[in-house]
Amino acid sequence: MALAIYPGSFDPITLGHIDVMNRASHLFDDIIIAVVNNTAKNMTFSVEERVEMVKKATSHLTNVNVESFAGLTVELAKKKGANILIRGLRAVSDFEFEFTMYQMNKQLNSDIDMVFMMAGLEYQFMSSSLVKEIASMGGDVSHTVPPSVEAVLKNHYAKISVTV
Ligand code: ADP
């Protein structure tokens, strides 16, 4: 049985991430979406909020489970009995970072391999940070995130504009 892990910050999940998840769900028997709980990274949303958003956005995928994790992804994979890590690749920008991560992960655990899925054409320039930037200025993000995430973003930035 092929079990794969798709790790990421998902701060928040975008349609680009969901496109990768939809396509990966046809390639693997089961997928664990591992939402990184890393205090060193400055996240906009708490890990609970990010897990909740991913759960809602992937409720149509029956072979996908969502959980949070802290620490090394290769350790999580070992614990879960998964030997594949999925990552998305956008044009050029992701390659160098992902290539380094691949080499590091291989050194840490040579049993675990990584599968890189090309971002869909319409999602090449979509990132969580860009979505947040647009949402923070009151822009329309409906073509970049699912409605449930759009609502969370609206609420988040409405609260901030009240407090400043
Ligand atoms: P991380 O902090 O681990 O990079 P992200 O949530 O930014 O977390 O991204 C998780 C994974 O999803 C990464 O492999 C990233 O390259 C990929 N990804 C991000 N945005 C897109 C997109 N628009 N299309 C396809 N893959 C994407």
Side-chain angles (χ1 to χ4, degrees), residues 6-10 16-17 20 41 87-88 90 94 98 119 123 126:
Y6 181 17
S9 308
F10 308 110
H17 294 127
V20 168
K41 275 196 177 181
R87 296 285 287 174
R90 284 160 294 185
D94 288 324
E98 296 296 344
Y123 307 116
M126 205 173 278

Side-chain angles (χ1 to χ4, degrees), residues 6 16 44 51 56 92 94-95 100 105 115 142 157 159 164:
Y6 181 17
T44 304
V51 164
K56 275 191 186 151
V92 210
D94 288 324
F95 182 78
T100 309
N105 283 338
V115 167
S142 59
Y157 289 109
K159 264 193 219 151
V164 264

Side-chain angles (χ1 to χ4, degrees), residues 2 10 45-46 52 56 124 129 140 144-145 155 159-160:
F10 308 110
F45 297 103
S46 69
E52 196 54 36
K56 275 191 186 151
Q124 289 288 340
S129 48
D140 178 13
T144 62
V145 292
N155 187 34
K159 264 193 219 151
I160 289 182

Side-chain angles (χ1 to χ4, degrees), residues 6 10 13-24 53-54 57-58 60-61 123 144-146 149:
Y6 181 17
F10 308 110
I13 185 167
T14 70
L15 296 184
H17 294 127
I18 296 169
D19 178 53
V20 168
M21 292 165 189
N22 283 337
R23 286 154 52 209
M53 283 188 272
V54 177
T58 58
H60 62 292
L61 299 172
Y123 307 116
T144 62
V145 292
V149 173

